[in-house]
Amino acid sequence: QVLLVESGGGLVQAGGSLRVSCAASGRTFSSSGLGWFRQAPGKEREFVAYIRWSGGITYYSDSVKGRFTISRDNAKNTLYLQMNSLKPDDTAVYYCAAVLAMGTIWPPTRYDYWGQGTQVTVSS
């Protein structure tokens, strides 16, 4: 079992920055990597970023590449998403998720554990 708890969401103006965190506990060593997803009202949950526990390889969606940075602190079992140059289209609930097996990282259905989400609102 892996428990994930997000924090750090809030309201920010367009062009601003925000960092969200995800504290992981439980059998975190059993997961191959962690991802960030987001879901806006009326839309499907979409992939944002991924980081592999071992080696720290990262992947980003095209919509956030160059603006968002995913990182992890293994000692603290914490995942971060630094979001810069935020746009109103970035407004969504942001979720962290853990995937146990190696493989495709994009589909939400691949992930085994999810946090409760944290709201990020970007005003224009």
Side-chain angles (χ1 to χ4, degrees), residues 4 24 31-36 49-53 70 79 97-99 111:
L4 303 171
S31 66
S32 62
L34 293 174
W36 284 102
Y50 167 89
I51 188 166
R52 192 174 296 172
W53 269 125
I70 188 172
L79 177 73
V99 56
Y111 288 73

Side-chain angles (χ1 to χ4, degrees), residues 23-99:
S25 60
R27 297 175 60 86
T28 57
F29 57 86
S30 64
S31 66
S32 62
L34 293 174
W36 284 102
F37 289 77
R38 66 187 182 186
Q39 188 166 19
K43 294 187 177 181
E44 294 186 350
R45 192 167 298 190
E46 65 170 350
F47 171 82
V48 174
Y50 167 89
I51 188 166
R52 192 174 296 172
W53 269 125
S54 175
I57 295 173
T58 59
Y59 299 92
Y60 298 91
S61 68
D62 288 342
S63 61
V64 306
K65 196 174 297 181
R67 300 188 299 122
F68 290 12
T69 302
I70 188 172
S71 62
R72 87 260 189 258
D73 184 330
N74 287 356
K76 295 182 178 179
N77 274 350
T78 301
L79 177 73
Y80 303 101
L81 184 69
Q82 176 67 43
M83 302 180 288
N84 298 328
S85 302
L86 282 161
K87 306 173 183 179
D89 283 349
D90 295 317
T91 296
V93 177
Y94 283 72
Y95 299 89
C96 66
V99 56

